Amino acid sequence: MQNDKYNLSDALKKLKITTTDSTADSLEGCLDCLLQALAQNNTETSEKIQKSGVLQVFASLLTPQSSCTAKVANIIAEVARNEFMRNPCVDAGLIPPLVQLLNCKDQEVLLQTGRALGNICYDSHEGRNAVDHAGGAHIVVDHIRSLCNKTDPASEKLLTVFCGMLMNYSNENDTLQSQLINMGVIPTLVKLLGIHCQNAALTEMCLVAFGNLAELESSKEQFAYTNIAEELVKLFKKQIEHDKKEMIFEVLAPLAENDVIKLQLVEAGLVECLLEIVQKTVDSDKEDDVAELKTASDLMVLLLLGDESMQKLFEGGKGSVFQRVLSWIPSNSHQLQLAGALAIANFARNDGNCIHMVDNGIVQKLMDLLDRHVEDGNVTVQHAALSALRNLAIPVVNKAKMLSAGVAEAVLKFLRSEMPPVQFKLLGTLRMLIDAQAEAAEQLGKNAKLVERLVEWCEAKDHAGVMGESNRLLSALIRHSKSKDVIRTIVQSGGIKHLVTMATSEHVIMQNEALVALALIAALELVTAEKDLENAQLVQILHRLLSDDRSAPEIKYNSMVLICALIGSEPLQKEVQSMAFLEVVSKLRSHENKTVAQQASLTEQRLAVES
């Protein structure tokens, strides 16, 4: 063997002085020596190669005519496995000649060139930029297209290297990913997956490439035009190993965020695969099984976020999928309880489904689930079960049924919770339940423990959602019960000032709810609330709302109704008189909104009589 003649430093010296008149044989001997040294100790040899300055020489050896080209590219591929060698390869000007070699026909040269470029691009910003600049990606995509239908081992090997190169080229780089997407690489890779599904290495490369690209929004529209859903489900059904399934899951999850693809995945039979995984793994504590159970049930919930895919799986409440998901709720696995409750919350996105589910006993299942999580419960399960109940309580016909089933009592057990997400859903559920339900609103509104907690949460400055929902529930208790007892309970707990503040909210709907509640307080229990209304500076706030041109018509209308009611209290009437209300109100007589204009006339008369 020739390479016995050289040791590494000799070979490097010899390469350094190489010129065109070097015989191919002696050149080849030097290159073999380098490859052998790299095989024995890659890092150390690479360091020596870098120090010797031989990289610059390689640039001139990378010519399509030379018989050594493949070996030189192979050496570059080997040294570029080291992170510290990637920039030196770029700086030595190796990228343009390597990219040029992508145009040659020799398979070994193409293979080694693809490896070299792929390794230089790995986690290297400079490498990627240089390849981009030299137009390398385009040529590789064209190669993949023309090789796509060939299933001989050499072609598949080349395809694997090229897919790997594109993956390293675009990994975590949005700009380069978009570039590949615009070149139309997605349909090509999907086709590739279909044709070469028997080739594990190539399939794996495709999956990682999909995982990279699927994160981009623009890719999802392109994926939706391919049969990716069908191909992935087909591939998924064949997998036995956990790692392979995980790889497919990693592509499915970002793709399933797209509603069109959700439906395609449902039609391709993904749901059946997921249900099967759940069944197989539910009783296992093996780490892989626990992970698969979580991924499969999470993905199931994600598929139900699309309106069409959800409705297809609901099948009027008769669907086997819906029935299977119901059976997750009483399970002993927290993960399945969570997924089951979230799935119900997703099914409960239209009145028809909600009514059907309540009529078929879902409420009891959710209440039983909540019961298992009252003491030191799982917060995510609590949150999910409350979300489902809140959604189910939206249709008018469900409210009374859910109240008589004891949902309000079940929900109140979580009043002690210190977790804002749970507090938020608890408040929303109660607010939905008492909408237009006078008796329930009165019962809850007289519950001093509840009202005190609401007043406390009205001050939760760090949690705007909890704060907003508490205010809205306070107002709802008054508006739906129209009860003096409820108003007294709220006054005693110090809730009035919060309703006054709510009237200045940036959300018109909340302002309005506050003003209507305050008008009821003024009409039913003015004397009890008088002091609090005065301290909260309600009259000044109403003056501001009426003077502000930006106030919505319904806010102006309800503010005037409230003023008329407040005149019944001597201290408040004095405040009204001391601020020029007549002036503001008479201007509103010519308001474009008829109802506001009429109320302005009435209010003006009332104010004139009282003054």
Side-chain angles (χ1 to χ4, degrees):
M1 272 175 72
Q2 267 183 316
N3 49 0
D4 294 344
K5 292 187 208 159
Y6 302 103
N7 65 24
L8 181 60
S9 50
D10 287 346
L12 288 171
K13 277 187 199 135
K14 193 156 178 133
L15 278 171
K16 195 80 198 297
I17 54 169
T18 186
T19 52
T20 38
D21 61 352
S22 298
T23 60
D25 283 356
S26 64
L27 198 54
E28 205 138 329
C30 297
L31 297 174
D32 286 339
C33 173
L34 261 58
L35 281 168
Q36 215 171 19
L38 284 163
Q40 279 160 4
N41 189 333
N42 192 318
T43 312
E44 198 181 307
T45 308
S46 294
E47 279 171 351
K48 286 182 179 161
I49 289 175
Q50 190 195 352
K51 287 201 183 95
S52 73
V54 140
L55 285 177
Q56 281 76 357
V57 176
F58 286 166
S60 62
L61 294 175
L62 290 169
T63 59
Q65 299 81 13
S66 159
S67 58
C68 303
T69 305
K71 272 188 185 155
V72 177
N74 186 358
I75 291 170
I76 297 170
E78 287 302 319
V79 300
R81 287 164 67 177
N82 302 288
E83 194 184 344
F84 67 87
M85 288 301 286
R86 288 170 202 148
N87 282 1
C89 284
V90 176
D91 298 340
L94 297 179
I95 301 289
L98 282 168
V99 168
Q100 278 310 306
L101 287 174
L102 289 171
N103 294 309
C104 82
K105 298 279 180 276
D106 185 303
Q107 277 216 314
E108 182 60 19
V109 172
L110 286 174
L111 190 72
Q112 298 303 348
T113 305
R115 285 185 60 230
L117 289 169
N119 288 353
I120 293 172
C121 285
Y122 186 80
D123 262 354
S124 160
H125 185 62
E126 291 74 13
R128 289 170 188 173
N129 276 353
V131 173
D132 176 24
H133 198 68
H138 216 298
I139 307 173
V140 171
V141 171
D142 285 344
H143 271 302
I144 294 176
R145 270 202 196 105
S146 60
L147 287 165
C148 190
N149 293 314
K150 297 187 175 169
T151 50
D152 59 285
S155 299
E156 288 197 324
K157 200 170 173 189
L158 204 45
L159 279 166
T160 308
V161 166
F162 282 152
C163 286
M165 186 234 137
L166 287 185
M167 193 176 70
N168 288 351
Y169 172 70
S170 65
N171 188 28
E172 289 179 358
N173 184 317
D174 289 1
T175 318
L176 296 179
Q177 286 172 357
S178 299
Q179 180 196 69
L180 292 180
I181 290 167
N182 293 337
M183 286 178 196
V185 74
I186 288 177
T188 305
L189 290 175
V190 174
K191 187 177 159 196
L192 199 66
L193 186 68
I195 296 171
H196 301 272
C197 53
Q198 303 305 325
N199 183 317
L202 187 47
T203 303
E204 208 162 297
M205 281 300 179
C206 281
L207 288 173
V208 181
F210 288 147
N212 271 348
L213 298 170
E215 299 295 339
L216 275 194
E217 267 321 299
S218 57
S219 77
K220 291 175 192 164
E221 286 148 32
Q222 283 221 8
F223 274 119
Y225 283 109
T226 68
N227 61 340
I228 183 79
E230 211 181 306
E231 292 297 356
L232 287 175
V233 173
K234 205 160 66 184
L235 191 64
F236 192 81
K237 286 178 177 163
K238 289 187 197 150
Q239 303 311 322
I240 299 142
E241 292 167 49
H242 168 74
D243 294 349
K244 288 277 163 38
K245 286 187 202 161
E246 278 296 309
M247 275 186 87
I248 301 174
F249 272 142
E250 277 170 25
V251 182
L252 286 170
L255 286 180
E257 285 166 15
N258 176 290
D259 283 359
V260 178
I261 300 176
K262 281 188 181 78
L263 192 58
Q264 291 171 353
L265 288 167
V266 168
E267 286 169 347
L270 178 61
V271 172
E272 291 69 17
C273 299
L274 297 177
L275 290 172
E276 200 178 309
I277 288 180
V278 167
Q279 206 172 353
K280 278 185 188 157
T281 55
V282 62
D283 297 318
S284 163
D285 17 7
K286 283 197 349 227
E287 202 178 317
D288 285 355
D289 289 345
V290 172
E292 265 179 49
L293 177 73
K294 178 172 173 24
T295 314
S297 50
D298 283 350
L299 192 48
M300 186 74 204
V301 172
L302 183 56
L303 291 176
L304 292 172
L305 274 173
D307 288 336
E308 284 188 76
S309 47
M310 177 273 285
Q311 214 46 49
K312 190 176 170 69
L313 294 170
F314 189 66
E315 291 178 58
K318 306 278 183 286
S320 60
V321 174
F322 171 65
Q323 297 302 331
R324 288 279 284 278
V325 167
L326 276 189
S327 71
W328 294 357
I329 293 175
S331 118
N332 287 322
S333 148
H334 280 185
Q335 172 57 33
L336 273 198
Q337 294 168 4
L338 169 64
L342 287 173
I344 297 305
N346 283 344
F347 279 125
R349 283 212 312 280
N350 62 51
D351 284 7
N353 292 3
C354 289
I355 293 165
H356 180 91
M357 287 193 275
V358 168
D359 288 347
N360 284 276
I362 187 70
V363 170
Q364 195 54 53
K365 284 191 168 71
L366 289 166
M367 284 176 16
D368 293 344
L369 176 61
L370 276 175
D371 250 0
R372 295 166 70 176
H373 288 276
V374 175
E375 298 303 324
D376 314 318
N378 180 306
V379 173
T380 48
V381 175
Q382 293 171 357
H383 179 261
L386 289 167
S387 296
L389 286 170
R390 180 196 174 282
N391 289 2
L392 290 167
I394 293 172
V396 180
V397 291
N398 281 356
K399 297 180 197 292
K401 292 176 188 168
M402 290 175 72
L403 285 164
S404 59
V407 172
E409 293 74 15
V411 168
L412 284 172
K413 290 178 186 167
F414 293 91
L415 259 188
R416 298 197 304 274
S417 172
E418 291 304 330
M419 306 307 285
V422 174
Q423 297 166 351
F424 180 72
K425 285 297 175 187
L426 168 152
L427 293 163
T429 307
L430 291 175
R431 188 164 62 79
M432 284 302 156
L433 281 171
I434 61 165
D435 192 8
Q437 307 295 312
E439 203 180 309
E442 179 161 12
Q443 211 180 340
L444 286 171
K446 292 193 297 197
N447 177 335
K449 264 208 178 86
L450 168 64
V451 174
E452 278 161 22
R453 194 71 161 135
L454 291 184
V455 170
E456 184 189 325
W457 285 341
C458 281
E459 291 166 6
K461 297 269 186 292
D462 299 343
H463 300 287
V466 172
M467 198 159 100
E469 278 291 341
S470 305
N471 278 304
R472 293 188 76 182
L473 184 53
L474 265 187
S475 149
L477 291 168
I478 296 171
R479 287 182 298 113
H480 298 304
S481 70
K482 302 183 176 54
S483 145
K484 289 178 172 230
D485 288 340
V486 170
I487 294 169
R488 282 190 213 113
T489 309
I490 289 174
V491 171
Q492 278 156 12
S493 303
I496 296 298
K497 62 174 184 287
H498 295 300
L499 290 170
V500 176
T501 308
M502 183 180 165
T504 63
S505 162
E506 54 189 328
H507 304 290
V508 175
I509 191 163
M510 284 174 71
Q511 277 186 297
N512 223 13
E513 287 171 358
L515 291 169
V516 173
L518 289 164
L520 284 164
I521 292 169
L524 298 168
E525 276 294 329
L526 187 52
V527 180
T528 318
E530 184 177 69
K531 201 93 205 99
D532 288 350
L533 293 171
E534 199 178 346
N535 290 341
Q537 299 191 310
L538 174 61
V539 174
Q540 288 87 322
I541 284 170
L542 292 174
H543 190 277
R544 216 167 58 224
L545 289 176
L546 287 172
S547 315
D548 188 346
D549 294 338
R550 290 166 307 184
S551 295
E554 59 268 40
I555 301 300
K556 298 211 153 139
Y557 173 83
N558 283 322
S559 297
M560 289 188 280
V561 171
L562 186 46
I563 285 293
C564 294
L566 293 177
I567 297 171
S569 144
E570 203 179 318
L572 292 169
Q573 186 202 350
K574 278 190 184 138
E575 280 195 27
V576 171
Q577 282 171 346
S578 72
M579 298 181 76
F581 265 93
L582 260 172
E583 213 177 293
V584 184
V585 171
S586 61
K587 271 189 202 157
L588 291 173
R589 280 199 343 232
S590 55
H591 195 278
E592 57 188 0
N593 182 301
K594 292 278 185 296
T595 322
V596 172
Q598 278 172 337
Q599 185 59 40
S601 298
L602 290 172
T603 308
E604 191 177 35
Q605 288 162 22
R606 288 291 305 275
L607 290 172
V609 169
E610 297 291 341
S611 57

